[in-house]
Amino acid sequence: MLRIPQCMSTQHPDNVNLPFFAESPELGGEDEVQEAYYAYSHLGCTEQMWDCEGKEVDNFVVRKLLSRYDAFFREKRLGRDVFLTLRVPNPEVETAEAKILLETLESIPRSYDTACLFYGDECPPIFEVILPMTASHTAIDNIYRYYTDIVVGKQERSLGEGGMTIADWIGRFRPDRINVIPLFEEMDHMLDAHNAVRRYLEGKDITHQRVFLARSDPAMNYGIVSAVLLNKIALQHLQEVSEETGTGIYPIIGVGSAPFRGGLSPRTVDQVTAEYPSVHTFTVQSAFKYDYPLEEVQNAVRRLEERRPGRPRPVDEAAALDLIERYTRAYERRLGPLAPLINRVARYVPERRKRKLHIGLFGYARSTGGITLPRAIKFTAALYSVGFPPEILGLDALDDTDIGFVRETYVNFDENLKAAARYLNTETGLVPRELAARVADLVDIEPDEEHAEVTAEIARALRENDIGKLSALVLQAAHCRKFLG
């Protein structure tokens, strides 16, 4: 029976605390193998994303898991009960890592052989890959075709004069095909995700298709309100594609613990799943896994895995797009002057993984003003560290009518804003008065006094260039929030 995981553990480094198995403050490749096992065996996640971007690719992760944790994987079969899903580089964007994509795809049949030897029968341990920064149906199709036509297709080629095929020589290549999961991250591509998916499905015998929508990077690129509305529009259209084509569409949403990045923590499962009822799979990132008591995390994962997805919340697309355009402009106006501060503070945000994550929209100088900023986790951490939660950026551009629409469509708006405003510190002199006043108009602010003291100390250290304790102070503030960024 087809089983599609509802809780995907990821390697996003937004955690304050280190897992007990970490060899150092920065998790490396061997730690991540153990992390995958821990997510399956202790937390109850049925899926682990394995990031093949920005690091030396471990093409032997299946062999390491099966050999090191023999007893567990004999009981919980990899590829049937628990799943490993590869996130591959996008060759259209990450040209320096383009060939890592090919190495990763070539490793899938070898992992299949390893699992066959382990289990004694045929069951692919890996059969899905995630394509970040998807921009078109051809980007998805290229990976699908490369695997079926080249990786698997070459087995029928003959070697020399004897007529022996590659399959005769080294064995068959399995699985015959893989599922490609597009990850849509930029505004235009999220709004066109349904068309890209529809075009990709044409002519293929595909009964179900997973589609990944970013929540974190769109917030950084366009502001939190735009990010939520973009996801709701995309989910509405994906439901329509599912009904039109008869293909089951199973959305995934990438959410972190900070409200700005999705707001999913063990304590907010019911809120976030109510916001996106049609989403089938939610990501649980490092802060979710390591910054809360184990039993609380296990219970939250269980609720995610056992929930029954519904239909998407309806959204007035025309009204949403109009508001997105105005709000995004205001967000960008506020963001520009903050860029030097964000980049400065980001240097003192501790690393949590021994490699970078993929580049996104802000990996390049932007055409509108040439803003260059760090990745979303450090971006979020930097602003929180100076008492300036990024959730509040752009809110002063929305009038009461706009706010009414937002509250009706973005059901957790007040809760998310209130949660973020706990860490607002107006005493640092960094938050514009009119912006702070607008937040106070919208929600009751219950400040976290300890966090305010730490952010005041960070602001003082930045003014006086007293940088010796900045990293420790950034971590201290993050402990109050239970997420780094």
Side-chain angles (χ1 to χ4, degrees):
M1 188 175 73
L2 177 68
R3 180 176 186 180
I4 298 176
Q6 293 186 244
C7 184
M8 177 193 285
S9 166
T10 79
Q11 298 169 337
H12 288 80
D14 61 343
N15 53 305
V16 184
N17 295 307
L18 303 176
F20 68 89
F21 52 80
E23 297 275 331
S24 74
E26 298 175 31
L27 268 67
E30 295 306 308
D31 291 324
E32 290 177 339
V33 174
Q34 188 164 354
E35 178 182 42
Y37 166 70
Y38 177 73
Y40 298 140
S41 63
H42 289 68
L43 303 185
C45 297
T46 51
E47 183 173 25
Q48 174 68 47
M49 178 198 291
W50 190 260
D51 202 328
C52 300
E53 299 175 274
K55 62 177 178 178
E56 292 185 12
V57 182
D58 191 339
N59 287 329
F60 294 92
V61 58
V62 169
R63 178 178 296 178
K64 289 178 179 180
L65 286 170
L66 298 182
S67 61
R68 293 178 190 177
Y69 310 106
D70 176 291
F72 175 81
F73 285 107
R74 291 205 181 276
E75 184 179 338
K76 295 286 188 180
R77 185 163 184 150
L78 190 61
R80 185 190 67 192
D81 304 312
V82 292
F83 302 88
L84 189 69
T85 305
L86 307 180
R87 176 176 172 143
V88 299
N90 185 329
E92 296 179 3
V93 182
E94 299 159 289
T95 54
E97 297 192 340
K99 292 182 177 62
I100 292 175
L101 166 67
L102 308 188
E103 294 173 29
T104 304
L105 296 179
E106 292 285 356
S107 76
I108 292 175
R110 188 177 66 247
S111 295
Y112 184 96
D113 293 344
T114 299
C116 284
L117 288 171
F118 182 81
Y119 291 114
D121 57 21
E122 297 189 357
C123 178
I126 297 173
F127 53 86
E128 290 188 314
V129 300
I130 297 165
L131 176 66
M133 294 171 282
T134 300
S136 66
H137 71 282
T138 55
I140 321 168
D141 195 59
N142 285 343
I143 292 180
Y144 179 87
R145 300 291 179 192
Y146 183 89
Y147 183 82
T148 55
D149 298 350
I150 308 299
V151 176
V152 174
K154 67 174 176 282
Q155 67 186 341
E156 305 300 340
R157 292 185 60 181
S158 296
L159 297 167
E161 298 176 358
M164 176 184 284
T165 65
I166 292 176
D168 294 332
W169 185 37
I170 58 174
R172 304 294 298 176
F173 286 67
R174 295 283 190 270
D176 293 333
R177 69 182 190 184
I178 57 171
N179 301 331
V180 185
I181 303 170
L183 168 51
F184 298 97
E185 303 179 59
E186 296 183 24
M187 185 185 299
D188 291 347
H189 304 145
M190 293 178 74
L191 293 173
D192 196 51
H194 58 295
N195 290 322
V197 170
R198 185 188 286 109
R199 290 282 302 278
Y200 170 68
L201 293 173
E202 288 175 0
K204 295 185 179 70
D205 180 23
I206 294 177
T207 58
H208 74 280
Q209 174 68 42
R210 301 177 81 189
V211 180
F212 204 146
L213 298 173
R215 168 61 182 77
S216 181
D217 277 352
M220 179 177 162
N221 296 339
Y222 319 112
I224 187 173
V225 172
S226 295
V228 172
L229 296 180
L230 287 169
N231 270 277
K232 287 177 178 284
I233 293 169
L235 289 166
Q236 184 168 273
H237 284 309
L238 288 170
Q239 178 71 28
E240 294 165 359
V241 171
S242 180
E243 292 170 358
E244 290 168 14
T245 63
T247 300
I249 303 290
Y250 295 85
I252 307 167
I253 193 165
V255 281
S257 286
F260 188 68
R261 298 184 53 249
L264 180 61
S265 79
R267 297 173 185 173
T268 60
V269 167
D270 294 339
Q271 282 182 28
V272 177
T273 54
E275 189 74 73
Y276 307 105
S278 67
V279 166
H280 190 87
T281 306
F282 290 84
T283 63
V284 296
Q285 301 183 2
S286 301
F288 186 111
K289 292 180 286 188
Y290 308 132
D291 290 338
Y292 292 85
L294 175 59
E295 187 174 345
E296 205 173 329
V297 177
Q298 291 169 328
N299 289 335
V301 168
R302 189 178 305 113
R303 294 211 309 281
L304 287 169
E305 290 283 5
E306 293 176 354
R307 63 180 282 273
R308 298 186 66 176
R311 295 182 61 82
R313 289 186 172 276
V315 56
D316 182 334
E317 184 174 351
L321 290 173
D322 173 67
L323 190 145
I324 287 169
E325 183 180 358
R326 291 182 287 109
Y327 167 82
T328 299
R329 283 200 305 267
Y331 172 82
E332 290 176 341
R333 282 197 301 271
R334 288 290 187 192
L335 190 59
L338 290 170
L341 174 67
I342 294 167
N343 285 315
R344 186 182 176 198
V345 179
R347 292 198 293 269
Y348 303 98
V349 176
E351 300 288 346
R352 285 293 183 252
R353 300 275 168 171
K354 289 182 179 176
R355 44 99 179 131
K356 67 179 179 67
L357 283 176
H358 77 288
I359 50 176
L361 186 60
F362 277 108
Y364 308 96
R366 295 191 62 190
S367 57
T368 53
I371 303 171
T372 302
L373 290 167
R375 298 292 294 121
I377 291 170
K378 287 197 170 189
F379 170 91
T380 306
L383 282 169
Y384 265 104
S385 297
V386 294
F388 200 145
E391 291 84 350
I392 72 175
L393 288 168
L395 290 181
D396 51 327
L398 302 182
D399 61 24
D400 290 345
T401 302
D402 293 329
I403 292 295
F405 175 81
V406 170
R407 283 176 166 150
E408 183 181 337
T409 311
Y410 172 4
V411 295
N412 290 316
F413 173 74
D414 285 340
E415 287 295 324
N416 285 174
L417 184 56
K418 191 172 182 179
R422 280 176 53 79
Y423 308 109
L424 173 64
N425 188 347
T426 57
E427 301 302 313
T428 62
L430 297 172
V431 181
R433 290 176 184 172
E434 65 275 18
L435 190 52
R438 184 56 170 152
V439 176
D441 285 342
L442 294 172
V443 293
D444 294 328
I445 301 174
E446 300 173 7
D448 183 302
E449 298 298 340
E450 183 183 353
H451 193 272
E453 289 177 13
V454 181
T455 54
E457 180 62 17
I458 291 171
R460 181 206 61 78
L462 289 167
R463 282 194 305 273
E464 299 174 8
N465 203 32
D466 180 14
I467 60 174
K469 295 181 180 179
L470 266 180
S471 288
L473 289 168
V474 166
L475 267 183
Q476 189 179 340
H479 272 287
C480 300
R481 304 188 300 268
K482 292 188 177 296
F483 59 81
L484 186 62

